[in-house]
Amino acid sequence: MKYVSGPYFEPDFDPLLDRFGTPGVVVDNETREDCTLVKVDSVNRDGVLLEMVQLLTDLDLVISKSYISSDGGWLMDVFHVTDQIGRKLTDPSLPEFIQSALVPFHRPGNRPSPRFTTCLGNVVGPGGPDVSDCAALEFTVHDRAGLLSSITSVLVDNGCHVASGQAWTHNGRAAGVLYVTTAAADGAGAASLLPSRWARVERLVNAVVDARENLTGERHWVCVSEPVQGRVHTERRLHQLMHDDRDYESGPAPTPVDEELFSMGDKAATARTAPRRAVTRVSIDSWEERGYAVVKMTSRDRPRLLFDTVCALTDMQYVVFHATIGSQGALAIQEYYIRHKDGRTVDSSAERQKVSRCLVAAVERRATHGVRVEVRAADRSGLLSDFTRVLREHGLSLLRVELRRHKDDAFGIFYLVTDTGGEVRAEALRAVQARVAEMDISLDVVMEAPGWPPVRKTSVPAPPVAGPQPQERPRPSLGSLLWSHLGKLSNNFNYIRS
């Protein structure tokens, strides 16, 4: 199919872009009343787009809209962002942190990796929270009731403690990345254990998983790796694990997008999509004149959607050259102009079908189902095992898990359904709440994420911040022209939650 419209950039831009200096970050609070514009220009290198989206997501920022362009060896992106409650970004140290985190080779001397405290109080750096002192237990397996309880019981019996981690389920498969130390408060890290000890833990966990899978013939995989610096970002690793496990193969073929949604105005599109459930849809066409594959996606708008999509494209070895991301009402709209790293577009019908399935899977792995509960307790050995055992005893199963620790406390977010996949009744939640209270575990039922969706009150200015404000550095006329090109990529899009 010949594509007849799309972003265009003059060929003469390419040699001129090479004259630009050091990559930079501009935080613009003047252009819009309802959000901050984070503008990044950089030499285009492998994976830099994913790094940017990942960093903004780890900073607990909401990406509401984005324009992306990376033709000619230079990347220039605009992200419309707020914090989790809809406020502009006012911390004057933020631009320097983003630049240092994105471009580590420009960090002077031997300065350590930068750290930053987000609006939710989370301390992050490049790649997310620091887990370099932990071993990593990774697994992919057929999803079943009591799975996490069985695995954590093995860890406790072998003197191991889950410090943080995540687990996802999708299409009947489960994947997890758990960061493990020796104990919560004994002062000894995972690095103090001999490699043979971790090999033994891996065999025992594999035996627990294998006991079930041998009966059903299901595939499974378990691996324990020793503490190392520079691990792959946890959520990206989960996407990789589920992709390698081929969770995308189940289910019907993806439905093509409604092309009219990409051209109509916001009000008309909102009215058109409001009565319908936002099913994830994907279409892939070819723009032969420019040698791009054009990927169009529509889905329910939700947090971290942009990260999940870019992660899938990057791990499938596709390069994003241009993109527009926004929404119309509750429907997220994404459009990408891509090529494979070897220069190919998505040529064959089979390849288009696979890419479409992989993108749908990436979006739906994090889809929110079940009852969300938030748990807090003093960190101790066996805490996760105790809590998951109570859930198992009350006939509840886990759809998604997020675990972290802060100082002496452990925090967890769990999405629950019944063992048969049904809705959890209120009396069951009350029974679990009472039981875990005896273990000094606090459990709260949350209908939706705190502060979400963000409240945008344009009449209320952002609070003043003492000290010098970040100044936008002068930009050549070429840069201004290119920013204007980015702004014209999609005039009809509103906001996307990511």
Side-chain angles (χ1 to χ4, degrees):
M1 173 181 177
K2 187 174 181 179
Y3 204 74
V4 297
S5 64
Y8 176 73
F9 295 87
E10 293 291 341
D12 291 342
F13 281 7
D14 292 358
L16 290 175
L17 286 174
D18 293 336
R19 303 176 189 174
F20 278 69
T22 303
V25 177
V26 174
V27 175
D28 175 7
N29 274 316
E30 302 299 325
T31 301
R32 296 190 62 95
E33 295 183 356
D34 57 346
C35 65
T36 297
L37 303 187
V38 176
K39 304 177 181 180
V40 182
D41 61 272
S42 166
V43 172
N44 189 25
R45 56 184 173 83
D46 188 27
V48 67
L49 174 60
L50 178 58
E51 290 178 20
M52 283 191 291
V53 175
Q54 176 180 297
L55 178 62
L56 295 176
T57 302
D58 286 341
L59 287 170
D60 294 326
L61 302 180
V62 177
I63 304 173
S64 56
K65 189 174 184 179
S66 180
Y67 304 114
I68 295 165
S69 179
S70 62
D71 252 350
W74 195 266
L75 181 144
M76 303 183 78
D77 297 343
V78 182
F79 300 94
H80 294 220
V81 302
T82 64
D83 65 14
Q84 290 285 326
I85 57 176
R87 300 175 303 185
K88 289 186 175 184
L89 314 183
T90 56
D91 191 323
S93 66
L94 186 61
E96 181 181 0
F97 170 79
I98 294 176
Q99 184 169 8
S100 298
L102 288 178
V103 197
F105 46 85
H106 283 282
R107 199 178 301 141
N110 294 319
R111 287 171 53 185
S113 298
R115 314 297 292 176
F116 191 86
T117 302
T118 74
C119 60
L120 300 182
N122 299 320
V123 179
V124 299
D130 185 11
V131 291
S132 59
D133 62 336
C134 301
L137 167 61
E138 301 177 345
F139 60 87
T140 55
V141 64
H142 173 74
D143 186 27
R144 68 175 189 268
L147 174 64
L148 191 59
S149 177
S150 300
I151 291 174
T152 54
S153 294
V154 171
L155 296 176
V156 172
D157 290 344
N158 286 271
C160 298
H161 171 68
V162 178
S164 62
Q166 295 192 43
W168 293 353
T169 62
H170 178 244
N171 278 350
R173 306 297 297 172
V177 178
L178 304 179
Y179 298 108
V180 181
T181 60
T182 51
D186 64 357
S192 63
L193 293 185
L194 296 174
S196 59
R197 176 78 175 275
W198 291 124
R200 180 173 183 271
V201 170
E202 179 181 311
R203 289 195 302 271
L204 292 173
V205 173
N206 189 70
V208 169
V209 172
D210 193 50
R212 160 78 182 202
E213 304 311 300
N214 274 343
L215 298 177
T216 61
E218 294 283 352
R219 62 188 182 274
H220 68 280
W221 181 81
V222 176
C223 178
V224 177
S225 58
E226 298 178 44
V228 295
Q229 294 286 341
R231 290 190 185 279
V232 176
H233 187 275
T234 304
E235 293 177 353
R236 182 180 183 186
R237 184 60 183 147
L238 282 169
H239 277 302
Q240 292 173 341
L241 289 173
M242 300 208 84
H243 179 272
D244 292 345
D245 193 54
R246 308 192 306 278
D247 70 317
Y248 56 84
E249 293 181 343
S250 301
T255 306
V257 301
D258 183 347
E259 294 286 346
E260 293 185 14
L261 294 174
F262 288 78
S263 58
M264 62 177 55
D266 290 343
K267 291 183 179 179
T270 300
R272 181 185 179 94
T273 60
R276 302 187 302 179
R277 179 176 175 267
V279 177
T280 304
R281 299 168 181 259
V282 180
S283 292
I284 302 177
D285 298 317
S286 295
W287 186 15
E288 296 176 0
E289 293 176 355
R290 299 288 290 183
Y292 295 130
V294 183
V295 178
K296 296 181 179 180
M297 297 181 61
T298 59
S299 64
R300 182 180 66 86
D301 198 2
R302 63 161 175 79
R304 297 179 179 264
L305 180 61
L306 178 58
F307 170 82
D308 292 338
T309 308
V310 173
C311 188
L313 290 171
T314 301
D315 287 334
M316 286 189 289
Q317 306 299 306
Y318 287 98
V319 179
V320 176
F321 287 89
H322 306 288
T324 54
I325 295 95
S327 71
Q328 293 167 345
L331 191 72
I333 308 289
Q334 303 182 74
E335 186 171 13
Y336 297 89
Y337 297 78
I338 67 172
R339 295 189 195 114
H340 198 271
K341 280 186 176 180
D342 62 11
R344 294 182 296 107
T345 58
V346 188
D347 299 323
S348 68
S349 175
E351 187 177 8
R352 292 182 184 186
Q353 189 66 222
K354 179 180 178 180
V355 172
S356 297
R357 283 183 175 273
C358 289
L359 288 171
V360 170
V363 169
E364 296 187 348
R365 287 170 192 146
R366 205 197 295 264
T368 301
H369 304 292
V371 175
R372 169 176 167 147
V373 299
E374 296 184 355
V375 174
R376 176 175 179 172
D379 197 15
R380 60 176 174 80
S381 179
L383 177 63
L384 181 60
S385 177
D386 291 344
F387 179 73
T388 54
R389 185 181 67 251
V390 171
L391 296 179
R392 187 177 186 177
E393 291 170 350
H394 287 79
L396 303 183
S397 290
L398 298 167
L399 290 180
R400 186 151 60 94
V401 179
E402 301 175 21
L403 308 168
R404 66 181 179 89
R405 62 180 175 183
H406 181 63
K407 296 182 179 179
D408 295 329
D409 289 331
F411 301 85
I413 299 174
F414 301 83
Y415 292 85
L416 307 177
V417 293
T418 65
D419 284 349
T420 58
E423 183 179 349
V424 180
R425 299 174 64 89
E427 50 267 32
L429 288 173
R430 287 193 292 268
V432 170
Q433 197 169 32
R435 180 71 181 90
V436 299
E438 300 172 0
M439 304 175 179
D440 296 323
I441 300 174
S442 171
L443 183 149
D444 296 312
V445 179
V446 181
M447 299 306 295
E448 61 181 18
W452 190 262
V455 180
R456 296 185 176 90
K457 297 182 179 179
T458 57
S459 60
V460 180
V465 174
Q469 297 298 307
Q471 298 294 321
E472 181 169 336
R473 53 189 180 82
R475 184 176 298 279
S477 58
L478 174 59
S480 300
L481 180 60
L482 193 47
W483 288 123
S484 70
H485 274 285
L486 288 171
K488 293 175 183 177
L489 291 180
S490 178
N491 293 325
N492 295 323
F493 292 157
N494 191 5
Y495 293 98
I496 185 172
R497 301 166 183 168
S498 186

